Amino acid sequence: MTRNLKGFADRMLLVGCGNMAGAMLDRWLVAGLDTAGVAIVDPVAAPREGIARFASLAEWRAAGGTADWIMLGMKPQQLGEVAGDLADIVTGGTHLLSILAGVSLADLAARFPGAKAQVRILPNLAARIGAGVSAVASSGDADMATVAALLDPLGTVVALADDSTMDLVTAFTGSGPAFVFRLIESYAAAGERLGLPAEDALKLATATFGGAAALLADSGEKPGALIAQVASKGGTTQAGLDVLDSDGQLAALLTNVLRAARDRGRELADIARGEG
């Protein structure tokens, strides 16, 4: 059930509104967020009815823009530029939300010392349909009840004690949908190579992955228990599992995938701090 945001009366500014920030905003609008209280600073963002869009922070400020909540959704490499234009209006009443990969709460506090609170959010693209995962950590005097109200329409929310693991979470859940899409794509391609029509292979692969994930979430069981319900000794499923499990190659591959994504997040953090 999507929490209703019709009672959210504060002013919100989105600095950057690309795929991820746009998915969050669109879901908030579905949940009843009042467009009159929202502004976007992004010269190339898709227009949204009722929401003022500005090409730059200077243009927004010239129009008398004010905000109680500011969400940073641009590229992490742009943090220095944005902070220079924005820091003086991030005051003691302002909540600063950030979905910037690699940019820590400490980085945000250093750039925006006047903020009431810094809130680091790591969502993923499935937020677009309310089936996302959002990890959240905060510093300062954050209004976490309102933060929770904003994140609830996006899907599952995981509150972290601090943001020390956020680079890994960025790789694990933020980048995760792309990895799953690649697995589905590759699974379908394998079916096609073995004789399935391409369209059938993709449809079957998508339904198989989606159904298995839904069953796992609904059952409350561990993956191994469900594997045992599908596989029988000496059967077809076990023959395939033997290939997947050979020499721990699958686990090693996925570990390397996550490590590469995590480490890139750290590199982006260095760039955002001007160290890269």
Side-chain angles (χ1 to χ4, degrees), residues 144-178:
M144 293 308 293
T146 301
V147 172
L150 287 168
L151 296 183
D152 183 68
L154 309 182
T156 300
V157 181
V158 177
L160 304 177
D162 55 51
D163 70 336
S164 60
T165 60
M166 195 68 92
D167 289 333
L168 177 56
V169 174
T170 299
F172 200 77
T173 62
S175 302

Side-chain angles (χ1 to χ4, degrees), residues 5-190:
L5 289 177
K6 290 183 179 179
F8 183 86
D10 291 344
R11 297 156 299 178
M12 179 179 287
L13 171 67
L14 278 68
V15 183
C17 192
N19 289 330
M20 190 63 254
M24 296 171 71
L25 175 58
D26 290 342
R27 192 63 188 171
W28 289 336
L29 296 176
V30 169
L33 184 66
D34 185 0
T35 58
V38 182
I40 296 170
V41 171
D42 188 326
V44 297
R48 290 168 172 82
E49 185 176 356
I51 296 180
R53 185 184 61 169
F54 302 89
S56 67
L57 281 165
E59 183 180 313
W60 172 74
R61 295 179 72 162
T66 59
D68 307 296
W69 297 74
I70 297 176
M71 187 168 84
L72 304 179
M74 68 289 174
K75 295 182 183 302
Q77 301 92 315
Q78 297 175 293
L79 179 61
E81 176 187 349
V82 167
D85 292 336
L86 197 59
D88 65 317
I89 66 167
V90 178
T91 65
T94 308
H95 274 73
L96 187 73
L97 310 178
S98 171
I99 62 171
L100 306 184
V103 177
S104 69
L105 290 172
D107 294 331
L108 295 172
R111 297 279 192 177
F112 304 97
K116 178 179 182 180
Q118 298 84 22
V119 183
R120 190 175 175 192
I121 302 168
L122 197 286
N124 67 19
L125 195 58
R128 180 184 292 165
I129 59 169
V133 180
S134 298
V136 59
S138 66
S139 59
D141 186 19
D143 178 358
M144 293 308 293
T146 301
V147 172
L150 287 168
L151 296 183
D152 183 68
L154 309 182
T156 300
V157 181
V158 177
L160 304 177
D162 55 51
D163 70 336
S164 60
T165 60
M166 195 68 92
D167 289 333
L168 177 56
V169 174
T170 299
F172 200 77
T173 62
S175 302
F179 304 150
V180 173
F181 297 149
R182 180 69 84 210
L183 288 172
I184 293 172
E185 182 180 60
S186 297
Y187 196 68

